[in-house]
Amino acid sequence: MAFNPCCRILLSMTLLWVQYYLPSVADEKIPPNITTDRDALLALKARISYDPHRILASNWSTNVSVCDWVGVTCGFSHHRVTVLDLSFMGLFGTIPPHVGNLSFLVTLAISNNSFHGSIPIELAHLYRLRKLEFIFNNLDGEIPSGMGLLSRLEYLNLANNHFTVPSSFFNLPRLQGIYLASNKLAGPIPSISYNMPSIQTIDLSINKLSGGLPTNMFDHLPNLQQLDVSENQLDGGLPSSLFKCKQLQYLSLMSNKSTRRVPKEIGNLTALSIISIDWNNFEGRLPPEIGNLGMLTLMILSHNSFEGRLPLEIGNLTTLTLLSLSDNHFEGEIPSEVGNLRNLMVLNMGGNNFDGAIPIDIFNITSIRTIDLIMNKLSGNLPSNIGLFDPNFQ
Ligand SMILES: *[C@@H]1O[C@H](CO)[C@@H](O)[C@H](O)[C@H]1NC(C)=O
Ligand SMILES: *[C@@H]1O[C@H](CO)[C@@H](O)[C@H](O)[C@H]1NC(C)=O
Ligand SMILES: *[C@@H]1O[C@H](CO)[C@@H](O)[C@H](O)[C@H]1NC(C)=O
Ligand SMILES: *[C@@H]1O[C@H](CO)[C@@H](O)[C@H](O)[C@H]1NC(C)=O
Ligand SMILES: *[C@@H]1O[C@H](CO)[C@@H](O)[C@H](O)[C@H]1NC(C)=O
Ligand SMILES: *[C@@H]1O[C@H](CO)[C@@H](O)[C@H](O)[C@H]1NC(C)=O
Ligand SMILES: *[C@@H]1O[C@H](CO)[C@@H](O)[C@H](O)[C@H]1NC(C)=O
Ligand SMILES: *[C@@H]1O[C@H](CO)[C@@H](O)[C@H](O)[C@H]1NC(C)=O
Ligand SMILES: CC(=O)N[C@H]1CO[C@H](CO)[C@@H](O)[C@@H]1O
């Protein structure tokens, strides 16, 4: 039977495959074992150029099992490396691709060292990883997108490094926390569909992210408890999908230039304990629905362009300990309902256009320590017994 040219190409490709791929498949018949792990760790040791306490130099000796090496834990039954924790050792060096051979690794932690260079893409092979902790190093470059394959990952902490690319966060089903604070992430937050059913914490603070929070970003993050995007260059305000995050306890958007209003849906975030959106350009009135936030302890709205009267419902926030409204354009009388805030310790209302008398009920708050009302248009007298009932008053 004569082959037509097409089949001839196929045949020669098959032969190539047999020649080049089969031997390597045969190689892998020897299953990786603790020797593979040892070689990977020795490759790592070889990349450490400075080991100030001579920890690896003295301890990682080949005449004992790697399972007895400092920072190494092996699995009980399979005798492979499951934990590599080299945190706080003062090590200076790079991460070799061989670390990707530690295929039983569950925890990889190298926090508080001086690792530099990039994360090898081979780390994406560590499909058993649950915890990856690289905080406080000098790693840079792109976070390999292949890490999005680490489907068992629960905790990803790459904070305090020099990563540049705002890689789409990883839509991993078990991820609970992603920490990317204090890097050099720049540009917009990728506008993809985020679907992280387990995520509780997203910390992108202290970067150079710009643009807005993507409109649909929070559609499928039902368990989000903490969102910190402070100290970036984000604008555009709070997207409506954010108000679906019924578990949200901590919201920080401090700095830099978010505009627009705080919509009445803020009242849906009933689990909120801390809201810190100071140093932005939020404008308009504070909606009365703010009074629904019955768990709020800190409310920091200073240095914005809020205007109008304070809603009386502010007096419903009886768990507040700190209320900072300073440097806005609030006006009208300070509602006497502020006197209901019986746990308040700090009240900052300076730098607004409040007028009328200071409601004396404020001075009934026994927990109060600091009241700052400077630079307003207030008038009238202070009560003569000021501070008499306030043991903590400073
Ligand atoms: C482990 O694998 C290596 C090859 O990588 C092999 O030479 C060695 O005999 C194996 N050791 C055990 C205990 O199976
Ligand atoms: C290496 O460190 C471990 C844990 O501290 C210790 O148990 C072991 O004896 C050390 N081994 C050597 C050779 O120093
Ligand atoms: C391992 O080798 C080092 C020198 O390389 C030696 O100091 C140490 O005693 C040896 N440990 C064991 C358990 O043999
Ligand atoms: C381990 O990883 C390195 C680099 O990624 C590779 O060259 C090596 O062949 C791998 N396999 C073993 C068994 O060490
Ligand atoms: C970790 O490193 C950072 C930065 O070098 C330092 O500020 C911090 O105190 C270190 N943490 C500990 C517990 O040593
Ligand atoms: C906010 O709550 C109201 C009333 O419970 C509900 O109708 C609305 O859909 C909620 N909005 C969001 C964005 O979840
Ligand atoms: C916003 O960021 C810019 C550039 O980083 C900075 O110059 C400015 O002071 C910041 N504004 C506020 C209100 O923090
Ligand atoms: C505040 O304290 C004064 C003096 O004890 C009292 O007359 C007044 O009713 C109190 N006001 C409130 C709102 O509790
Ligand atoms: C539950 C509750 O305390 N609701 C109060 C919220 O604030 C408004 C305005 O002061 C009151 O009318 C509500 O009774």
Side-chain angles (χ1 to χ4, degrees):
M1 158 179 167
F3 291 117
N4 68 31
C6 155
C7 292
R8 220 170 286 154
I9 290 170
L10 270 181
L11 179 69
S12 50
M13 281 173 67
T14 309
L15 284 174
L16 269 175
W17 187 84
V18 169
Q19 262 177 288
Y20 292 101
Y21 286 81
L22 274 192
S24 66
V25 168
D27 275 352
E28 289 178 12
K29 285 269 165 56
I30 305 163
N33 57 37
I34 191 71
T35 308
T36 318
D37 291 358
R38 188 198 64 178
D39 291 347
L41 293 175
L42 287 175
L44 175 62
K45 183 181 176 182
R47 294 285 189 97
I48 306 294
S49 49
Y50 183 55
D51 178 2
H53 311 296
R54 294 191 47 76
I55 297 174
L56 303 193
S58 67
N59 190 282
W60 282 20
S61 155
T62 47
N63 59 8
V64 295
S65 161
V66 298
C67 299
D68 295 329
W69 290 1
V70 65
V72 176
T73 307
C74 293
F76 186 67
S77 52
H78 49 65
H79 209 61
R80 298 283 309 273
V81 175
T82 54
V83 177
L84 179 60
D85 186 353
L86 304 180
S87 303
F88 302 103
M89 289 187 179
L91 304 173
F92 189 95
T94 57
I95 306 171
H98 307 71
V99 172
N101 291 351
L102 297 169
S103 47
F104 278 73
L105 215 52
V106 172
T107 297
L108 176 56
I110 57 168
S111 309
N112 273 63
N113 286 290
S114 296
F115 281 96
H116 58 279
S118 54
I119 297 183
I121 53 174
E122 286 79 3
L123 262 54
H125 300 160
L126 302 175
Y127 68 96
R128 288 188 173 90
L129 266 189
R130 277 191 247 141
K131 181 174 173 183
L132 194 67
E133 195 174 55
F134 289 177
I135 182 173
F136 283 119
N137 279 285
N138 296 315
L139 296 163
D140 57 26
E142 206 170 329
I143 302 164
S145 57
M147 310 230 327
L149 300 171
L150 302 175
S151 60
R152 299 188 195 174
L153 204 61
E154 293 168 9
Y155 178 85
L156 177 63
N157 193 337
L158 305 177
N160 296 87
N161 280 285
H162 307 298
F163 295 113
T164 46
V165 181
S167 90
S168 37
F169 333 167
F170 303 104
N171 274 336
L172 298 172
R174 301 197 193 167
L175 200 58
Q176 292 170 13
I178 181 160
Y179 301 82
L180 292 169
S182 294
N183 276 285
K184 293 182 174 162
L185 304 180
I189 294 177
S191 191
I192 60 162
S193 166
Y194 295 93
N195 190 348
M196 295 187 273
S198 305
I199 200 86
Q200 294 173 5
T201 303
I202 298 177
D203 184 356
L204 304 175
S205 61
I206 320 181
N207 278 291
K208 295 191 164 61
L209 296 166
S210 56
L213 294 170
T215 322
N216 300 329
M217 179 169 175
F218 304 97
D219 274 341
H220 307 291
L221 310 179
N223 287 303
L224 190 64
Q225 292 173 12
Q226 295 171 319
L227 175 67
D228 192 345
V229 292
S230 63
E231 297 190 55
N232 278 286
Q233 285 149 25
L234 297 168
D235 53 29
L238 308 173
S240 57
S241 61
L242 180 66
F243 306 110
K244 292 185 177 173
C245 299
K246 299 264 192 270
Q247 312 291 327
L248 198 66
Q249 293 169 14
Y250 178 88
L251 172 62
S252 180
L253 203 86
M254 190 192 103
S255 279
N256 184 292
K257 49 182 192 174
S258 282
T259 54
R260 305 190 199 168
R261 292 164 184 256
V262 170
K264 64 178 174 19
E265 285 79 13
I266 189 82
N268 285 28
L269 300 179
T270 49
L272 211 54
S273 169
I274 297 177
I275 180 168
S276 168
I277 57 170
D278 47 322
W279 294 98
N280 282 293
N281 286 315
F282 282 104
E283 58 190 20
R285 287 170 179 253
L286 206 54
E289 286 79 4
I290 202 100
N292 295 350
L293 306 181
M295 310 283 275
L296 214 52
T297 57
L298 307 183
M299 177 150 107
I300 308 175
L301 309 182
S302 48
H303 294 276
N304 278 293
S305 302
F306 286 112
E307 60 191 26
R309 292 174 170 265
L310 271 188
L312 308 183
E313 287 76 3
I314 201 139
N316 296 15
L317 304 176
T318 52
T319 50
L320 270 186
T321 59
L322 187 153
L323 175 59
S324 181
L325 305 174
S326 54
D327 296 291
N328 277 288
H329 311 305
F330 287 115
E331 61 188 32
E333 292 186 2
I334 297 175
S336 62
E337 281 78 0
V338 171
N340 298 343
L341 304 179
R342 56 180 180 273
N343 291 300
L344 203 60
M345 294 195 275
V346 178
L347 177 63
N348 289 334
M349 293 185 149
N352 282 289
N353 297 318
F354 288 116
D355 58 25
I358 300 174
I360 55 164
D361 314 76
I362 289 181
F363 300 101
N364 285 25
I365 305 173
T366 52
S367 52
I368 203 88
R369 293 177 187 193
T370 306
I371 297 177
D372 173 5
L373 302 173
I374 65 164
M375 310 262 281
N376 276 294
K377 297 174 180 165
L378 299 163
S379 55
N381 298 318
L382 288 171
S384 56
N385 57 357
I386 183 171
L388 213 58
F389 307 104
D390 306 327
N392 300 306
F393 198 50
Q394 287 164 9

